[in-house]
Amino acid sequence: MSAGESPTIVIPFVSPRAGDPVITSELVADHGLSDDEYERICRIMGRTPTFTELGVFSAMWSEHCGYKNSKRLLQLLPTQAPWVIQGPGENAGVIDVGDGYALAFKIESHNHPSAVEPYQGAATGVGGILRDIFTMGARPIAVLDSLRFGDLDSARVRYLFGGVVSGVGDYGNCVGIPNIGGEVAFDRGYEGNPIVNAMCLGLMKKEDLITASASGVGNTLMVVGARTGRDGIHGATFASEELSEESEEASRPRVQVGDPFTEKLLLEASLELISSGAITGIQDMGAAGITSSASEMAGRAGNGVQIDVARVPVREPDMTPYEILLSESQERMLVVATKGHEHEVHRILEKWELEAEEIGEVTADGRFRVLENDAVIADMPALPLTEGCPTYEREGIEAEEVRQLREMDLTEHLIPNGDLTKAFLLLLASPNVASKRWIYHQYDTTVRTSTAVRPGGASGVVRIRGTKRAIAATTDCNGRFVYLNPRRGAMIAVSEAARNLVCTGAVPTAITNNLNFGNPLKQHIYYQFREAVLGMADACKAFETPVTGGNVSFYNETDGRAIYPTPVIGMVGIIEDLSNITPQSFQSKGDDIVLLGENTAEMGGAEYLYVTAGLVAGEPPRVDLARERQLQRAVLTMIQNNELRSAHDCSEGGLACALAECALGDEEAPFGVKVELDDTLPPVATLFAESQGRIVVSCAPDRTENVIKLAMDHSVPARRIGKVGRRGEAFHVTAIAGQIKIDLVTLSRAYFGALPAIMNTPASSVE
Amino acid sequence: MRVGVVTFPGSNCDYDLYKAAQQVGADVEFIWHRQKNLDGYDVVMLPGGFSYGDYLRAGAIARISPVMEDIVGFAENGGPVLGICNGFQILCEAGLLPGALIRNVSLRFESRDVHMLVEQTETPFTSEYQKGQILRIPIAHGEGNYEADGQLLEQLEAEGRIVFRYVNRGGEMTEEANPNGSRNSIAGLTNESGNVLGMMPHPERAMEEVLGSVDGMGVFLSLAANLSTVVL
């Protein structure tokens, strides 16, 4: 018997509430349900649902909550490893990080709200992910943000970008969680539909782990935190639709408003509640509000719940049960208090000047029952809400347009159009390559006094106080690669994330993913999704980094045009000894620069093509997972043996840009660079191709031999390519038949000045 | 040294301050914002954060918090009070320090390392520093732009009450080195009797090499050196 088909023996009759609209096929369609799905609901109910019941089903069976079009493929991802304590299905994944500590971490999207109201959309995205972490019993220790926007020459895009950055910043800053990294990319492929993914890491003692289940029949359900208002009603369904030009005005009421101050109080109160032992479960009221939190908690425990909406503290009068059940007002929690310990919950919440109210209880009958005072408003089996959502596997076919772009001949672009140094400066000043300081200088990165590596490097690092250990985290995905070749692009995203962690000295350990795609009902989008999941599964297996949770965001389309498929990889790694933390920039003049891996002429999807020709085309660079793994093992060994002074991954902008970043560091004390590359490739490829599997390291000259030997031992190609110069010396990179030569002041201005110059242009016209 | 770290609803650097004071050997306790009795503390610290969400104006609501009445009394009796970031804002709102902290000139939150010059070492907070020493310390604030009228600035300068000033690496006061537009590049100042210090930079975030700087330790070491000998 599948969960969706459970026979209902007694069919409780629920009379419609006065004022409820009549259920018509139009109303059903407005709720995002197909005719088949509606029939299925009637079968499950044994009768026609009431308006309120329809709303509940619609939210729970939305793409956002029900994973209709993704669930079957997601099952292909590896989720197990000895260090995984909690895999997918909870508020967040949890892994063992040693010394008695566990790490909870998760990434989540807030793309649609941010497209409509960038500041609040982004802020509430951060708020939601923090709650997912502290409801596991973990104290949030770091935030990362992964962002995508259209090109910054549009005033509208600058408005979205500026608003999102201050929304992410203000929320995290106020709650007091350091931002330790993330990424941002700008490409016309995201115009109109930005991507805002926020990731949070939380630390706890292993024994403090708590889950979100409604266990213990007779225990009391309590809503704690902010009051319930009319904001964000049907946000989950909204997140499961495409955007159109009308969306902005029409959808604004569906965007929630954040209050980070209340969040901070809720965080402290929740952690105190968990350690008090007065509660058995706790869950954030995220998408679909009380409905999803109550039914998911019931579902996990195999119990039922009964809620009286009249007891839910509301912000405004005359809210209907439908509204109360589906409101997505922020900073609220559903708590299951052990019977008889409700006063303890009240006491703790009062201390933090927050409200708590008993709204119902855990029942044994497996029903999701809603009362309004004495009247039953909804009565439905709980399990089908969370488990009975129909799932689909669709046909996927690659778009002809993409195939043509991928097969485009790029030979003509290998001939530089003018001076190489000029092209290089253009590339370095592209917002995709240039310093992101303008962003992270708006984020508190040092609060909680544990940030060992701040944003701006390959990955952020927070130490675990009282131990020698640290946690590294990164988010990565090059959407252009995924667009051109979804399977390979997803493999590259995982490989790059792992490479970034390794460069700071961390062992890649586990993944949370945020799969941002267009409308899965379209065959070419489903193709992208399927291929990306398959590529990701292969790469996760190769790196032994299981996926412990994440988020799927479909329908990222504006006026029918989808974003680049963007499966963002949030990866965490463990640094076993703080002394292994390795900087990405050069540290000492006279050091040798060694290139690990090989340069190739693979220009597909390179930033160089976008900057010089406005092109997103070609076959993305090959990725050999076994060799990539060997490269990473080699670098970790070098770091553990204390051979390296710095390590930097080669990604957007290629080897030349990686070298520039190594030279510039944090701007205060840049180093000169003298590098000679003897590859028999066109210089454009040697310098700017984004071939995979390359890391630039620097070491004291007496270590070079060891470094090269260790690389060889791992079958990794390695060669000394040059030297770190003095401060004030030039940045000089020669390839066969071409060179880049430039003074450090100009280099620094291009790299650090680009984003401020763009963003400080007054945003006079907010379109 | 017995240190009390005040926690207002919305404080978020209280734990960091707690650990910093503990690191120099202090006996530290949190003081809940509703607590009324400050007996037995050698120094009271007001942490950074967003007390009461910084709604209305940074520090404006914390100022009327129950504990503040006693903190004013504690300071008036000569007790050392250190306010960092939001703590500095609260001290200004409470009238324990003159002037006001307004929105950064950039109109953005500013979070990064700054350099600041130690100008006064004859305070219980800075005696372990060298005069003219340049410190590298993180800032993280949206409203740190110190504002005072000409007369007050003259008075502060004349009385030597400006303890820290934003400078560049070379120790020069420049516009670029001033992260928020503060008058006279003021990063920290004391009250008239020198027992209340407010500063925007976060010395508690610069206490360990692994965090990038140990330049903030002087503040806590100075307090420990000056207060450990107090006989209760």
Side-chain angles (χ1 to χ4, degrees), chain A residues 259 353 441 443-444 448, chain B residues 16 34 55 111 205 208:
Chain A
D259 176 4
E353 303 182 9
H441 275 183
Y443 298 160
D444 195 338
R448 295 194 49 72
Chain B
D16 301 348
R34 287 193 193 133
Y55 294 139
S111 164
R205 300 187 188 184
E208 290 172 77

Side-chain angles (χ1 to χ4, degrees), chain A residues 173-174 176 259 261 264 351-353 438 441-444 446-449 452 454 463 668 760, chain B residues 9 11-12 16 32-34 50 52-53 55 108-113 115 136 169 204-205 208 210:
Chain A
N173 296 346
C174 183
D259 176 4
F261 171 58
K264 166 72 175 162
K351 173 184 165 190
W352 292 100
E353 303 182 9
W438 185 87
H441 275 183
Q442 297 185 56
Y443 298 160
D444 195 338
T446 50
V447 64
R448 295 194 49 72
T449 57
R454 302 181 197 177
R463 57 93 181 260
E668 273 195 5
N760 290 342
Chain B
S11 294
N12 64 29
D16 301 348
W32 187 238
H33 69 116
R34 287 193 193 133
F50 290 74
Y52 299 93
Y55 294 139
R108 287 190 298 268
F109 193 88
E110 296 284 350
S111 164
R112 56 186 141 116
D113 281 353
H115 291 95
R136 185 189 171 108
R169 279 172 86 207
E204 80 279 15
R205 300 187 188 184
E208 290 172 77
V210 69

Side-chain angles (χ1 to χ4, degrees), chain A residues 552-629:
Chain A
V552 180
S553 171
F554 281 134
Y555 302 98
N556 289 288
E557 304 203 359
T558 308
D559 300 325
R561 221 184 60 235
I563 56 160
Y564 292 149
T566 312
V568 173
I569 301 296
M571 195 184 283
V572 296
I574 297 172
I575 296 175
E576 280 174 7
D577 194 312
L578 292 172
S579 66
N580 287 342
I581 296 174
T582 305
Q584 74 162 6
S585 56
F586 295 145
Q587 299 295 307
S588 184
K589 72 165 192 294
D591 278 358
D592 279 341
I593 304 171
V594 175
L595 174 67
L596 308 175
E598 267 169 349
N599 298 329
T600 68
E602 297 167 292
M603 294 302 291
E607 176 71 9
Y608 175 85
L609 292 181
Y610 193 74
V611 167
T612 58
L615 264 187
V616 174
E619 180 70 73
R622 274 163 301 157
V623 53
D624 179 329
L625 296 173
R627 291 181 67 172
E628 182 74 53
R629 187 84 205 262

Side-chain angles (χ1 to χ4, degrees), chain A residues 79-136:
Chain A
T79 58
Q80 305 282 320
W83 52 89
V84 173
I85 298 174
Q86 177 65 59
E90 264 287 345
N91 286 332
V94 180
I95 56 167
D96 188 336
V97 292
D99 287 346
Y101 285 97
L103 183 80
F105 67 104
K106 195 182 180 196
I107 192 166
E108 201 158 83
S109 65
H110 244 210
N111 305 342
H112 280 66
S114 304
V116 172
E117 217 301 298
Y119 180 88
Q120 289 297 347
T124 50
V126 175
I129 197 66
L130 293 180
R131 290 193 294 281
D132 278 342
I133 298 306
F134 65 76
T135 47
M136 300 298 293

